[in-house]
Amino acid sequence: MTENNATNVNLDAEQKSKYDTAIFAGGCFWCMVEPFDSLPGIKKVISGYTGGHVSNPTYQEVCTGTTGHTEAVKIIYDPSIMPYKKLLDYYWQVTDPTDAMGQFQDRGDQYRPVIYYNSEKQKEAAEESKKALQNSGKFDKPIVTKIEPAEPFYPAEEYHQDFYKKDPLRYAIEEAGGRSAFIKKHWQK
């Protein structure tokens, strides 16, 4: 699989020094793009696969649950506008951090919640954020989201990119699988 136009974000040297990346897994990647896509400082949100043992996996291969990958999003962001810690705050609010076996209607290892860090600074921030959430008492169950080193990220096929824009009805059906109700219950007062 090669990078396509939607995922090929051409950054010059100056831009590369300006932007950083965050990789989050939290269920179906279709439902993980929209919450981050409109935030200030976000350059691009790319749907893809990471954390597995097969190079360049396809959607069909990942769906079997045998490649070890998670469906994830790679977020290219400007840390001077959107600090990583703030991205973590958003991440916790759009996933169920107490469910290690998937997210909402999406079940299976490929939907497990994981924060993939690309530096020690990101690792420390993720661990502190997870600990703070656990200590907050917001959830009755333990926080089980994994924090793991970033591995190769493979952009998903073109039809998965910006899915919420391409097929709003199907996206709404996916969101009706429990994510929206969960967010309202736990995060909206």
Side-chain angles (χ1 to χ4, degrees):
M1 180 186 331
T2 59
E3 281 197 284
N4 53 53
N5 290 336
T7 60
N8 187 9
V9 178
N10 295 317
L11 302 175
D12 61 30
E14 183 180 328
Q15 289 175 319
K16 284 181 183 175
S17 67
K18 178 180 179 180
Y19 292 100
D20 199 353
T21 59
I23 300 175
F24 298 144
C28 174
F29 47 39
W30 292 349
C31 299
M32 289 293 291
V33 173
E34 189 272 335
F36 295 100
D37 201 33
S38 61
L39 295 176
I42 303 302
K43 175 83 171 166
K44 184 73 180 163
V45 183
I46 304 164
S47 295
Y49 319 107
T50 191
H53 55 271
V54 174
S55 295
N56 296 309
T58 65
Y59 180 68
Q60 289 73 24
E61 290 171 325
V62 173
C63 284
T64 68
T66 61
T67 67
H69 292 88
T70 59
E71 288 191 14
V73 291
K74 182 176 189 176
I75 303 166
I76 301 170
Y77 68 100
D78 181 341
S80 70
I81 298 171
M82 177 61 64
Y84 184 70
K85 289 180 181 184
K86 192 145 184 132
L87 281 176
L88 289 167
D89 291 342
Y90 282 107
Y91 173 80
W92 295 123
Q93 293 179 39
V94 298
T95 63
D96 179 352
T98 68
D99 186 352
M101 297 310 298
Q103 293 288 284
F104 313 104
Q105 79 276 14
D106 300 314
R107 310 313 302 157
D109 194 54
Q110 68 270 30
Y111 299 118
R112 69 192 182 273
V114 184
I115 296 168
Y116 293 97
Y117 60 87
N118 66 26
S119 68
E120 282 302 308
K121 186 176 178 182
Q122 281 191 354
K123 178 182 179 184
E124 290 170 14
E127 288 173 345
E128 288 173 14
S129 181
K130 180 179 176 178
K131 184 177 180 181
L133 182 61
Q134 182 68 56
N135 292 338
S136 73
K138 187 169 272 299
F139 296 96
D140 296 333
K141 300 177 191 173
I143 305 303
V144 296
T145 299
K146 300 284 186 194
I147 299 170
E148 300 177 359
E151 296 187 35
F153 181 89
Y154 302 100
E157 296 80 355
E158 174 60 32
Y159 66 95
H160 292 298
Q161 304 304 328
D162 295 318
F163 188 82
Y164 77 98
K165 294 176 185 175
K166 293 176 181 171
D167 194 342
L169 179 59
R170 176 72 190 275
Y171 173 72
I173 291 168
E174 291 296 319
E175 279 293 283
R179 191 180 302 262
S180 295
F182 180 87
I183 292 168
K184 285 179 186 171
K185 177 181 176 184
H186 292 282
W187 296 100
Q188 294 178 352
K189 294 181 179 183

